């Protein structure tokens, strides 16, 4: 059906596929579970230190609402984005209070597939400056009516459709890049179900009786006897046998393909690889019998974090920082992944590189090839405003050389 993933019910269909097709659920789960595993920190913008004293932040980023933990909320948000191409964070703030983090009672994900954006009429997108210039309100169905949300209390994260340009009401799921593969999966599973569950007509039992004039069909009585032999004696329980012995001369003519002939497992694997590739999930995470053969799995996971997981989490962190107006308090939200094992290897490698570079710069300084500031800048730090740091070793006095050597030692 050409409208399955593009029509009015596409958002709901993608969510349905998430729940019923493992090839869709698994790569989304790989991303959502890792983004949700971030440690969300409130930091001071002047020294990047973590602010542990903000109890409101600690509460909202551990238990955002009565139904879920913060990890569950982030997981749900990522799933909505990947299935529908949009996510809506709603901050429950009493109208009488100012809009800030301290005023938030709770916050939620609105159901993306049911959230309608009512646009302001006649808005020129190329002359607007704020999101509020576009949106009149958000609504969802509730208790037989429509629940209204004011624009300032909703943070939309929309993947705009390339077909519709800058229309915020037209979004596209990233899974559309694997539309053909997803549509292939549906009939494959139907065919497997037909064979495994319904069986279908596997073939015909035909008579092998005959004489000089040719084949002779089974009589009605002989057919009934053959069926009794089959149903009453064949089986693996009730003292029955796995084979049937009959007195009738018969043969079997196969009419349908077997599972091995249809090769559905090869097809589902190929489709799964396509979906994983579209979502940029490493190939070795695709469930298959050859998982152990991927020698570069560790590097793939590092790339997965650096190019997909961490940017996704930081995008949320930056959006929440602006949404809750934290820059006014000289604070920002950061997504920290220092607890992830695969990223610890990166730190070990960096420490080894820093040690080698340190020895190289020390040797260069001792031979007069660089200044202390050259060494500092080479490490990525800022120059020191001290004349001693701008001198090469041959330009220093014996006292200055002794001071530097003592510091290095």
């Amino acid at each position: 059906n050409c409208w399955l993933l593009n029509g009015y019910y596409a958002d709901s269909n993608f969510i349905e596929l998430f729940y019923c097709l493992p090839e869709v659920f698994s790569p989304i789960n790989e991303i959502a579970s890792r983004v949700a595993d971030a440690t969300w920190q409130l930091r001071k913008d002047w020294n990047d230190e973590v602010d542990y004293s903000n109890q409101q932040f600690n509460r909202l980023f551990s238990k955002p609402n009565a139904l879920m933990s913060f990890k569950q909320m982030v997981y749900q948000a990522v799933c909505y984005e990947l299935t529908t191409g949009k996510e809506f964070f709603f901050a429950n703030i009493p109208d009488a209070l100012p809009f800030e983090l301290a005023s938030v009672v709770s916050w939620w994900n609105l159901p993306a597939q049911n959230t309608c954006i009512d646009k302001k009429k006649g808005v020129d997108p190329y002359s607007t400056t704020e999101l509020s210039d576009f949106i009149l309100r958000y609504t969802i169905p509730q208790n037989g009516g429509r629940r209204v949300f004011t624009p300032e209390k909703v943070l939309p994260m929309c993947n705009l459709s390339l077909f519709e340009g800058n229309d915020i009401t037209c979004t596209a799921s990233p899974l559309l890049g694997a539309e053909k593969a997803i549509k292939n999966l549906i009939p494959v599973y139907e065919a497997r179900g037909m064979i495994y569950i319904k069986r279908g007509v596997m073939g015909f039992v035909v008579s092998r009786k005959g004489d000089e004039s040719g084949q002779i069909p089974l009589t009605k009585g002989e057919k009934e006897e053959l069926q009794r032999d089959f149903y009453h004696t064949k089986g693996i329980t009730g003292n029955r046998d796995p084979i049937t012995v009959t007195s009738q001369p018969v043969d079997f003519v196969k009419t349908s393909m077997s599972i091995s002939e249809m090769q559905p497992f090869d097809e589902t694997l190929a489709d799964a690889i396509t979906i994983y590739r579209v979502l940029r999930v490493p190939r070795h995470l695709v469930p298959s019998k050859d998982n152990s053969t991927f020698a570069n799995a560790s590097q793939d996971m590092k790339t997965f974090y650096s190019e997909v997981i961490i940017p996704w989490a930081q995008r949320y962190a930056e959006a929440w920082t602006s949404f809750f107006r934290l820059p006014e308090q000289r604070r920002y939200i950061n997504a920290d992944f220092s607890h992830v094992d695969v990223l610890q290897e990166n730190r070990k490698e960096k420490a080894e590189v820093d040690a080698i570079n340190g020895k190289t710069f020390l040797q260069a300084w001792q031979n007069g090839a660089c200044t202390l500031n050259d060494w500092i800048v080479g490490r990525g730090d800022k120059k020191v405003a001290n004349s001693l740091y701008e001198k090469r070793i041959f330009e220093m006095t014996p006292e200055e050389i002794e001071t530097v050597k003592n510091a290095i030692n």
Side-chain angles (χ1 to χ4, degrees), residues 347-361 375 378-379:
R347 289 180 173 80
K348 180 181 178 182
E349 292 172 2
K350 184 178 184 301
E352 292 173 351
V353 171
D354 286 345
I356 294 172
N357 288 340
K359 292 178 181 179
T360 302
F361 274 110
W375 188 348
R379 286 176 46 84

Side-chain angles (χ1 to χ4, degrees), residues 13-22 24-25 75-76 79 83:
N13 288 339
F14 270 121
I15 293 175
E16 180 69 24
L17 290 171
F18 169 75
Y19 282 119
C20 70
L21 281 184
V24 174
F25 170 86
Y75 182 93
Q76 185 185 62
C79 290
T83 53

Side-chain angles (χ1 to χ4, degrees), residues 223-243:
K223 292 179 184 178
E224 292 175 351
E225 179 184 349
L226 179 61
Q227 288 179 321
R228 283 195 300 271
D229 289 340
F230 181 81
Y231 289 114
H232 293 174
T233 64
K234 183 180 182 299
I236 57 175
T237 61
N239 296 320
R240 290 181 293 179
D241 295 318
I243 59 174

Side-chain angles (χ1 to χ4, degrees), residues 148-265:
V148 177
F149 301 88
T150 55
E152 64 271 12
K153 295 182 181 180
V154 177
L155 172 62
M157 310 289 287
C158 295
N159 181 27
L160 300 183
S161 171
L162 295 177
F163 288 110
E164 302 298 333
N166 298 309
D167 188 342
I168 195 171
T169 64
C170 298
T171 58
S173 167
L175 287 170
L176 280 173
E179 178 184 2
K180 302 298 184 184
I182 293 173
K183 288 183 176 180
N184 282 346
L185 283 169
I186 297 172
V188 169
Y189 271 101
E190 288 178 346
R192 284 165 59 176
M194 181 67 70
I195 293 176
Y196 279 128
I197 301 171
K198 296 182 179 180
R199 293 287 180 176
V201 179
M202 302 300 293
F204 294 96
V205 176
V206 297
S207 172
R208 291 189 62 185
K209 293 195 307 179
D211 55 22
E212 295 179 355
S213 62
Q215 295 292 108
I216 301 174
L218 297 174
T219 65
K220 182 179 179 180
E222 290 171 334
K223 292 179 184 178
E224 292 175 351
E225 179 184 349
L226 179 61
Q227 288 179 321
R228 283 195 300 271
D229 289 340
F230 181 81
Y231 289 114
H232 293 174
T233 64
K234 183 180 182 299
I236 57 175
T237 61
N239 296 320
R240 290 181 293 179
D241 295 318
I243 59 174
T244 296
V245 178
T246 179
S247 60
Q248 304 297 330
V250 294
D251 200 355
F252 179 76
V253 178
K254 182 180 173 184
T255 61
S256 67
M257 297 179 68
S258 67
I259 285 289
S260 60
E261 290 171 320
M262 293 179 64
Q263 296 184 321
F265 302 107

Side-chain angles (χ1 to χ4, degrees), residues 87-115:
E87 154 61 17
F88 303 95
F89 295 104
F90 164 64
N92 179 18
I93 301 176
D95 293 334
L97 296 180
F99 192 100
E100 58 185 8
L101 185 66
S103 303
V104 180
V105 177
S106 61
W107 59 320
W108 305 78
N109 299 313
L110 299 184
Q113 76 280 13
N114 294 326
T115 302

